[in-house]
Amino acid sequence: MGRSLRVLVGVSGGIAAFKTAELVRRLQEAGCEVRCSVTRAAAAFVTPLTLEVLSGAPVYQEEYLGANGSGQELHITTAAWADVLCLAPATANLLSRLALGLADDFLTTTALAFGGPVVFAPAMHSEMWTKEVLRGHVATLEGRGMRRIGPEVGRLASGERGAGRMAEPERITAEVLAASGSRGLEGRTVVVTAGPTREPIDDVRFLSNRSSGRMGFALAAAAAEGGARVVLVAGPVDLATPWRVERVDVTTALEMGEALERLASEADLVVMAAAVADYRLAKTFPGKVKRHQGPPDLDLVENPDLLVGLAEWAPDALRVGFAAESGEVEAEARRKLVAKGVHLLVANDVSRRDIGFDVDANEVTVFRPTGEPVFFERRPKLLLARDLMDLFVTEMERREQTTPAAARP
Ligand code: CTP
């Protein structure tokens, strides 16, 4: 990154807030630049002045703060400033507001405007922590990719023992550093494709498939979190561009191929998560085909296999393919691994309703030419994406250590 990691510490109102002062110190010792924001209740537990002196920056408090002198809104500029948002302590109230998307003070408006990694350290009485309503909110936040640390079991403010103590500042600091993504992707360029392609029939109709693009977008987000420069080549999908990702929008398989041919040579890793249409019309119809003209003759021709093309466009990159299967998953995955000349093939079973298309979770098996397949059981796509990215990095590093670039397939 070339500059120090910027951490916005969000403090909500719990007795553990007194430990936030130490957290600020720890983060600074780890080389971070820290700013703090406190909710109204937090200010009763730790004085903003303490945090201001420790962080060397004004502490953002309570309500919406309006614009700074240059006419920019502070919650937006603060969200853009931060690399990581660390909520410590995170009370039941703060977590519930975040899960629902409520934005009624400076910290929650900033959190909603923030697109990067979030670490939260819950702290509350164990009676509150175990309530079903709160568990639901916490699961929602984790499903969105936020990282929970703790709570730990121990003595609570009430004097009882139970789960609810905020994790120690040292552990929170380690989690913040991990979330910021020093996971082997700094200085790397990653190209990810996502979504379906659309092959026009006439000016209003097209052939396409059910890919939502979510898995590919999650992979792009995970790679960016990991510190890579990420280019996401996206088919037509209705998804927001992930944090710090460059996006190139395409419509057809041929356009996706052109984009890859242009971009892939810069890549260290190419992940083909897109569901590229296998066929297009030999010739599209001008205007709109009218019903009285009868059913049009769809003369289909094959699209190029972009993964196969990648062997030429990105010979040194680690190339990862996906396979959506509805029957013989393993046999088909192994066939594609060889036929498409890829280093890893991520297979999922699209005949299952609880994973894959249009669902927020996925379960996959990664196949490689040698060695055992690696199984990733069902989990939210963003969490799966992080785990897959870790595997890709390990594989990339293994190849670089064992094979000189010139000799790599
Ligand atoms: N793929 C590609 N170009 C195509 C078709 C597919 O690059 N024209 C890539 C996909 O992005 C994916 C992998 O190939 O990474 C496997 O896609 P899949 O649709 O499962 O493979 P097909 O070759 O189309 O095989 P089949 O339809 O027979 O299952």
Side-chain angles (χ1 to χ4, degrees):
M1 187 171 297
R3 59 165 170 77
S4 49
L5 186 74
R6 295 167 175 170
V7 183
L8 178 67
V9 176
V11 192
S12 53
I15 190 74
F18 78 92
K19 285 204 268 183
T20 306
E22 194 196 332
L23 172 66
V24 172
R25 270 265 186 276
R26 293 257 176 195
L27 287 166
Q28 287 170 328
E29 280 163 16
C32 304
E33 190 183 336
V34 181
R35 288 189 194 171
C36 298
S37 169
V38 296
T39 63
R40 183 190 309 230
F45 291 93
V46 59
T47 72
L49 182 62
T50 305
L51 297 175
E52 180 174 331
V53 171
L54 284 175
S55 66
V59 171
Y60 307 117
Q61 294 186 51
E62 283 193 28
E63 312 298 342
Y64 172 74
L65 288 178
N68 64 12
S70 61
Q72 288 167 314
E73 292 180 296
L74 251 182
H75 63 294
I76 303 297
T77 50
T78 306
W81 172 86
D83 297 310
V84 181
L85 172 61
C86 173
L87 306 165
T91 58
N93 184 42
L94 178 66
L95 295 175
S96 303
R97 284 192 289 155
L98 292 177
L100 295 171
L102 300 180
D104 55 358
D105 62 5
F106 183 80
L107 181 54
T108 47
T109 42
T110 307
L112 200 56
F114 183 63
V118 180
V119 172
F120 65 99
M124 65 199 73
H125 191 277
S126 48
E127 249 340 295
M128 298 163 80
W129 175 245
T130 48
K131 281 285 179 306
E132 203 179 323
V133 62
L134 189 72
R135 302 326 302 260
H137 288 325
V138 169
T140 301
L141 297 174
E142 290 185 291
R144 286 188 206 137
M146 296 189 187
R147 294 158 188 270
R148 173 167 67 83
I149 171 104
E152 289 169 2
V153 177
R155 209 176 121 87
L156 305 172
S158 62
E160 298 155 276
R161 272 185 67 80
R165 278 174 67 90
M166 184 171 91
E168 290 307 318
E170 200 179 345
R171 286 192 59 209
I172 302 174
T173 303
E175 193 64 27
V176 166
L177 298 178
S180 73
S182 45
R183 287 185 304 177
L185 281 165
E186 276 102 357
R188 306 276 197 180
T189 297
V190 177
V191 173
V192 180
T193 65
T197 65
R198 260 183 206 171
E199 310 301 326
I201 296 172
D202 62 12
D203 285 357
V204 295
R205 304 178 179 96
F206 52 80
L207 298 174
S208 193
N209 59 64
R210 284 179 52 203
S211 168
S212 68
R214 282 187 225 168
M215 195 62 235
F217 273 59
L219 284 159
E225 250 181 38
R229 170 183 170 236
V230 184
V231 187
L232 174 62
V233 182
V237 292
D238 188 18
L239 293 173
T241 309
W243 182 70
R244 292 189 181 158
V245 165
E246 298 164 37
R247 174 170 178 171
V248 177
D249 284 306
V250 299
T251 305
T252 64
L254 290 182
E255 285 171 18
M256 188 170 276
E258 281 164 24
L260 281 175
E261 193 170 355
R262 196 172 68 242
L263 296 162
S265 62
E266 299 163 26
D268 300 289
L269 166 66
V270 185
V271 185
M272 280 293 297
V276 186
D278 287 328
Y279 301 101
R280 66 178 187 279
L281 264 71
K283 200 167 174 308
T284 58
F285 296 90
K288 180 184 173 211
V289 176
K290 300 297 287 178
R291 181 198 284 258
H292 67 76
Q293 292 173 293
D297 201 2
L298 300 185
D299 183 10
L300 299 178
V301 292
E302 210 166 312
N303 273 327
D305 193 318
L306 306 183
L307 257 185
V308 172
L310 276 175
E312 189 186 318
W313 303 327
D316 293 335
L318 184 81
R319 298 183 300 275
V320 180
F322 268 67
E325 302 299 341
S326 59
E328 290 283 308
V329 178
E330 171 150 12
E332 270 301 280
R334 290 208 178 277
R335 184 185 64 77
K336 286 179 189 175
L337 190 61
V338 178
K340 292 173 185 266
V342 290
H343 303 105
L344 296 172
L345 196 102
V346 184
N348 67 328
D349 186 345
V350 289
S351 63
R352 278 177 50 182
R353 282 170 167 241
D354 59 332
I355 54 171
F357 285 140
D358 274 337
V359 185
D360 258 331
N362 207 353
E363 177 177 295
V364 300
T365 307
V366 182
F367 294 89
R368 30 190 178 186
T370 53
E372 286 297 301
V374 188
F375 175 64
F376 293 86
E377 66 182 27
R378 187 179 192 275
R379 64 197 76 179
K381 282 182 175 169
L382 192 58
L383 305 190
L384 176 65
R386 281 189 191 141
D387 295 336
L388 286 173
M389 218 24 95
D390 286 344
L391 180 78
F392 302 163
V393 169
T394 310
E395 186 62 22
M396 214 155 47
E397 287 170 352
R398 194 191 60 77
R399 285 183 71 239
E400 284 165 0
Q401 278 159 15
T402 52
T403 342
R408 266 178 233 146

